[in-house]
Amino acid sequence: MIDVAYVQRMSRYNRWQNENLYDVADRLSEAERRKERGAFFGSIHNTLSHLLWADHLWMSRFAGWPKPEGGIPQSVSLFPEWENLKAERKDSDARLIDWADTLDPKWIKSDMTWFSGAINREVTKPHWQ
């Protein structure tokens, strides 16, 4: 089972990786970021938008962040402008670290129940999973 220190370490690792990834993506032209690449979410921009949407969705369940609009199909267009996507990623990573730094060890051991739109049913799992 994971512990608070692990969550804190991973939140910082997440920020570091996102900084590296966005730095590289920022060097691409808008056309290159938007180019269809045959990936599950199509383009680099769409994939990064989906990942940020997913982080917001999980943090809405974990920490009461506002739930992002739409489902998986809409996740690719939640942040249509590159500069807004970059700014929101940076802000979200900082908020995620703040959350991790105040995490109660009891929370990790407790269960969470949520409705999964992907499988269309309610799910209960321990937070640590």
Side-chain angles (χ1 to χ4, degrees), residues 5-34:
Y6 178 82
V7 175
Q8 292 168 347
R9 189 168 44 256
M10 288 295 100
S11 69
R12 285 162 174 77
Y13 178 78
N14 175 68
R15 177 183 58 192
W16 177 64
Q17 286 297 331
N18 283 329
E19 287 171 350
N20 291 324
L21 182 59
Y22 275 72
D23 181 54
V24 170
D26 206 26
R27 296 178 204 168
L28 298 172
S29 68
E30 182 74 13
E32 282 297 312
R33 282 192 303 272
R34 300 275 185 182

Side-chain angles (χ1 to χ4, degrees), residues 50 53 57-58 61 71-73 114-121 123:
H50 169 76
W53 171 88
L57 181 62
W58 280 104
R61 296 168 179 165
I72 293 171
W114 74 96
F115 182 82
S116 169
I119 60 174
N120 203 32
R121 68 178 172 88
V123 177

Side-chain angles (χ1 to χ4, degrees), residues 34 45-46 48-57 66-81 84-85 88:
R34 300 275 185 182
H45 184 103
N46 286 358
L48 294 174
S49 180
H50 169 76
L51 292 172
L52 185 54
W53 171 88
D55 283 352
H56 281 213
L57 181 62
K67 184 178 178 186
E69 295 180 20
I72 293 171
Q74 295 79 30
S75 69
V76 299
S77 58
L78 191 59
F79 303 98
E81 301 300 323
N84 292 345
L85 177 59
E88 186 59 36

Side-chain angles (χ1 to χ4, degrees), residues 9 11 21 26 35-36 44 47 53 62 87 95 100 104 117 120 128:
R9 189 168 44 256
S11 69
L21 182 59
D26 206 26
K35 183 179 178 180
E36 173 61 47
I44 291 168
T47 299
W53 171 88
F62 288 167
R95 290 174 59 209
D104 182 344
N120 203 32
W128 68 267

